[in-house]
Amino acid sequence: MNLEKILQEHIAAALKAEFDVEESNIALQPTRKDFEGSFTFVVFPYVKTLRKSPVELGNAIGNYLVANSGVVKAFNVVQGFLNISIADAAWLDMFGGIFKDKKFGQLADKKETVMVEYSSPNTNKPLHLGHLRNNFLGFSVAQILSANGYELVKANLVNDRGIHICKSMLAYQKFGNGETPESSGLKGDHLVGKYYVEFDKHYKVEIEALKANGLSEDDAKKQAPLLIEAQEMLLKWEEGDAETLALWNKMNDWVFAGFNQTYQKMGVSFDKIYRESNTYLLGKKSVEEGLKSGVFFQKEDSSVWIDLTDEGLDQKLVLRKDGTSVYITQDIGTADLKYNDFKMSKSVYVVGNEQDYHFEVLFKILKKLGRPYSDGTYHLSYGMVDLPSGKMKSREGTVVDADDLMQEMTDTARERTLELGKIDGFSKEEAEELYHTLAMGALKYFLLKVDPKKRMLFNPEESIDFQGNTGPFIQYTHARICSILRKAHEQGIIGVASNYKTLHESEQEVIYLLSEYPKKLADAGRELSPSLIAQYAYDLAKAYNRFYNEVSIFNETDLDAQQFRIAFSSVVGETIKKAMALLGINVPSRM
């Protein structure tokens, strides 16, 4: 039962019956909290045409609805706003439908495949705070699209080759003394990241020495022996030198083992992992094809370009004069590879907004090349995450490491939970699992509740508060509901959706929010915005807590009311669990 749709139909009928106006586009909005009612219809647009006052119009439509709709029990008119109160029987019918719907929160099968590509780390350094927003955002968008009825492929394109990778390799070769993750006690990705920082430290010393000998900074950077050696190592790698490849494979294996541990802690996963070492040569064939068709042009030095000035952009290099490819060439080839693998109708790239221009160019090139999938490409551009201390720089070792941050959050969750005494009866293992669940709930929720496009400031202390718009507040609400359901089970109270007649106002509010879930899910899928689901989960938890504080369950003497409130609580608990799962967040059953 869709109350909003029923109301829209009856308001259209009222306009026809009372004023002979044909109207198919009836817009409703939630009634403001300071007025009585659930839905509001704005009558101002009809005042001039019908030459009636707003109050006269509102009263005529309101009286018609009370007399004819069967779902409206009362109304009030405030200036040009018709505030409509829904009959309890209609709310109860709607709740009954939700209660019986085993697939509530899963939209119809779209029979389309969507790929969401996220994470995209470099194998020369561990994952950091920025990667957390990327991974949480990508995973959540995939969950939301799956609940919207799409077949999902979660992909990760790992940058495991190039000059930056060789910098870590060279520094390890020179300064590593055979150190391993086992001998150092470091995760593999942390160990390799240590040598990326080490390269930069020694490189800077060389630059300063060359500058002291009279070279300009630019020349010193280019002529520093370490950089020249790293460039030579890259050439050896591209030529397939056995010793270079052995070192590359060994260090990459360390990094991947470290990444996998971090991904497991994060609670994210992938269906397909692509590696740039396997894709960087792709795209050259597409460039040749584009040259023949006139999409690209060749300059006198043999370099190949595309001219996008007519699209408000500029000319973009796609092949260097020596015939080597650039990033965008590789991305063209990888896009073809992904489409050939999965034939998806949509491909979402979750990448920070510093790459906006790159993806604008890439998508225009794919369109000009006539790729059948080009219209389905989308760059989910997100803002950077800042800390009070400022911007992060990987090569200087000043990043906020993802593993360290997750551990700090877990430690904070432990302290807060022990302070509040929320682990009575927990074993040590259960308590540790709860701390991790709360920590990740706090971290994910804080990073996902903000519109993806916005730059944000991460505040660890604020994120783990048990009050307010936080993950732990919603998690605690779920645990509270589970406690109620356990008690009901012990007392033999069965949750039933029927026979209850008179709803409390807080119960109406919660049922309205429950009915909104499919719409919010569809909106989040269309806008690729987990923040809509985060806000919904918070609104539902807050409304349920209001109900919990204002309405009795176990002291209720009316058995019908008691059984209804148990059923009501179970649906809210399940909906919170589903909504939080879309954010990649687990909810505890007890705290």
Side-chain angles (χ1 to χ4, degrees):
M1 178 182 182
N2 187 321
L3 268 180
E4 194 166 345
K5 192 175 177 186
I6 291 169
L7 263 185
Q8 287 166 334
E9 288 170 357
H10 281 291
I11 291 170
L15 286 168
K16 177 66 179 167
E18 300 293 319
F19 306 108
D20 199 27
V21 170
E22 297 278 355
E23 181 64 88
S24 58
N25 188 23
I26 303 290
L28 292 173
Q29 56 197 46
T31 302
R32 279 173 45 183
K33 298 286 182 193
D34 41 344
F35 295 106
E36 195 176 329
S38 303
F39 297 94
T40 295
F41 176 61
V42 182
V43 300
F44 282 125
Y46 306 94
V47 169
K48 195 173 179 181
T49 315
L50 298 176
R51 296 181 180 178
K52 303 279 184 189
S53 73
V55 172
E56 197 178 353
L57 275 170
N59 281 326
I61 296 168
N63 285 320
Y64 180 93
L65 294 175
V66 171
N68 298 284
S69 71
V71 298
V72 175
K73 68 175 179 183
F75 68 93
N76 63 84
V77 181
V78 181
Q79 296 176 332
F81 300 94
L82 170 62
N83 302 317
I84 302 162
S85 296
I86 303 298
D88 286 353
W91 287 122
L92 289 163
D93 279 353
M94 185 158 68
F95 177 76
I98 294 169
F99 182 71
K100 290 172 191 166
D101 185 358
K102 300 300 177 194
K103 291 187 176 179
F104 183 67
Q106 175 64 48
L107 303 186
D109 187 354
K110 300 283 194 301
K111 303 196 184 312
E112 286 181 46
T113 299
V114 177
M115 177 179 282
V116 180
E117 181 192 297
Y118 58 99
S119 198
S120 307
N122 296 334
T123 57
N124 63 324
K125 55 194 174 187
L127 303 171
H128 55 64
L129 174 57
H131 287 115
L132 288 175
R133 189 176 199 191
N134 180 297
N135 279 276
F136 297 157
L137 185 54
F139 185 79
S140 179
V141 164
Q143 299 296 97
I144 288 166
L145 289 173
S146 180
N148 269 272
Y150 293 99
E151 186 72 29
L152 255 292
V153 180
K154 295 173 292 184
N156 184 357
L157 175 61
V158 180
N159 185 342
D160 65 343
R161 62 160 293 279
I163 190 67
H164 50 299
I165 308 299
C166 289
K167 287 177 181 178
S168 296
M169 290 164 61
L170 182 64
Y172 177 77
Q173 201 176 57
K174 283 182 172 294
F175 317 116
N177 299 315
E179 189 176 30
T180 66
E182 290 73 26
S183 70
S184 65
L186 291 171
K187 279 175 75 237
D189 52 333
H190 285 233
L191 180 64
V192 173
K194 170 184 163 183
Y195 287 101
Y196 184 59
V197 173
E198 196 69 19
F199 176 93
D200 194 60
K201 189 170 77 177
H202 289 275
Y203 178 47
K204 281 178 176 169
V205 171
E206 290 185 349
I207 290 168
E208 290 307 312
L210 290 169
K211 281 165 66 180
N213 286 332
L215 285 183
S216 69
E217 181 146 1
D218 280 354
D219 287 341
K221 284 179 177 176
K222 289 172 191 168
Q223 293 177 34
L226 266 179
L227 181 65
I228 291 167
E229 279 189 80
Q231 289 167 337
E232 287 168 354
M233 182 178 269
L234 179 57
L235 284 173
K236 282 183 182 177
W237 181 88
E238 289 182 352
E239 288 162 1
D241 176 69
E243 188 182 339
T244 305
L245 286 178
L247 177 62
W248 175 75
N249 277 314
K250 178 168 75 172
M251 293 180 75
N252 267 350
D253 285 347
W254 290 344
V255 172
F256 281 113
F259 281 173
N260 287 338
Q261 288 178 44
T262 306
Y263 287 140
Q264 194 171 0
K265 271 190 195 170
M266 284 184 191
V268 302
S269 59
F270 307 94
D271 303 307
K272 178 73 177 179
I273 294 180
Y274 293 97
R275 294 174 63 163
E276 286 197 8
S277 54
N278 296 325
T279 65
Y280 82 106
L281 294 175
L282 298 175
K284 285 191 177 184
K285 191 177 172 186
S286 298
V287 172
E288 289 166 17
E289 171 198 320
L291 262 174
K292 286 177 189 169
S293 64
V295 170
F296 304 120
F297 70 94
Q298 200 161 28
K299 291 193 176 180
E300 287 178 8
D301 65 357
S302 296
S303 60
V304 180
W305 298 69
I306 186 167
D307 186 355
L308 294 170
T309 50
D310 61 332
E311 306 256 7
L313 301 172
D314 54 12
Q315 293 186 354
K316 177 73 178 174
L317 176 73
V318 293
L319 218 56
R320 295 188 187 95
K321 61 183 178 183
D322 61 2
T324 57
S325 61
V326 292
Y327 263 121
I328 208 144
T329 326
Q330 171 192 289
D331 284 347
I332 294 165
T334 306
D336 284 343
L337 174 65
K338 293 192 296 186
Y339 182 70
N340 290 337
D341 283 348
F342 295 102
K343 295 293 186 291
M344 59 276 191
S345 60
K346 294 179 185 175
S347 187
V348 179
Y349 295 77
V350 183
V351 183
N353 57 14
E354 73 275 13
Q355 294 293 329
D356 285 354
Y357 175 77
H358 175 85
F359 282 101
E360 191 177 359
V361 171
L362 174 64
F363 298 161
K364 287 188 187 303
I365 290 174
L366 294 174
K367 196 165 186 66
K368 285 181 181 289
L369 286 171
R371 293 299 186 257
Y373 57 83
S374 62
D375 285 340
T377 53
Y378 181 79
H379 174 207
L380 179 48
S381 169
Y382 64 90
M384 295 295 99
V385 183
D386 292 319
L387 289 155
S389 56
K391 202 172 180 182
M392 302 181 292
K393 294 178 182 174
S394 304
R395 63 182 174 275
E396 294 173 10
T398 60
V399 300
V400 176
D401 179 79
D403 291 311
D404 291 347
L405 180 58
M406 287 191 286
Q407 187 57 53
E408 282 174 30
M409 294 294 291
T410 302
D411 293 342
T412 306
R414 182 185 295 107
E415 288 166 22
R416 295 282 180 90
T417 308
L418 290 170
E419 279 171 21
L420 295 168
K422 293 185 185 295
I423 55 161
D424 295 341
F426 278 64
S427 68
K428 189 181 176 186
E429 292 75 20
E430 288 170 336
E432 287 301 323
E433 187 182 343
L434 176 65
Y435 305 144
H436 178 70
T437 299
L438 291 173
M440 295 311 296
L443 187 54
K444 290 182 183 184
Y445 188 84
F446 200 94
L447 293 178
L448 291 173
K449 73 177 182 179
V450 179
D451 184 311
K453 298 177 186 67
K454 291 181 180 173
R455 190 167 190 140
M456 66 174 294
L457 184 73
F458 175 65
N459 184 330
E461 282 295 310
E462 187 185 324
S463 73
I464 207 154
D465 200 328
F466 282 82
Q467 296 297 323
N469 190 2
T470 67
F473 168 73
I474 301 166
Q475 289 173 311
Y476 183 61
T477 303
H478 181 267
R480 166 176 275 169
I481 291 170
C482 289
S483 173
I484 289 166
L485 298 178
R486 281 193 297 273
K487 187 173 178 181
H489 179 72
E490 287 163 10
Q491 294 186 10
I493 305 168
I494 299 164
V496 177
S498 57
N499 300 328
Y500 185 43
K501 302 297 181 197
T502 307
L503 286 170
H504 188 271
E505 188 193 334
S506 63
E507 291 170 321
Q508 292 178 4
E509 183 186 4
V510 172
I511 295 171
Y512 170 72
L513 283 170
L514 288 171
S515 74
E516 285 283 284
Y517 183 54
K519 182 174 177 289
K520 296 293 182 187
L521 179 57
D523 289 345
R526 187 175 55 256
E527 296 180 32
L528 303 180
S529 181
S531 61
L532 298 179
I533 297 296
Q535 185 62 47
Y536 174 82
Y538 172 62
D539 289 342
L540 182 58
K542 189 169 66 169
Y544 181 84
N545 277 291
R546 181 196 163 203
F547 154 79
Y548 178 82
N549 289 322
E550 294 181 4
V551 180
S552 176
I553 297 176
F554 295 105
N555 291 330
E556 174 59 66
T557 54
D558 181 343
L559 181 60
D560 289 335
Q562 199 175 57
Q563 289 181 325
F564 170 81
R565 286 168 190 163
I566 295 302
F568 174 82
S569 297
S570 70
V571 173
V572 174
E574 276 301 307
T575 307
I576 287 175
K577 186 177 182 178
K578 285 174 186 173
M580 293 295 266
L582 296 181
L583 304 177
I585 297 173
N586 293 324
V587 284
S589 58
R590 63 191 183 115
M591 279 170 70

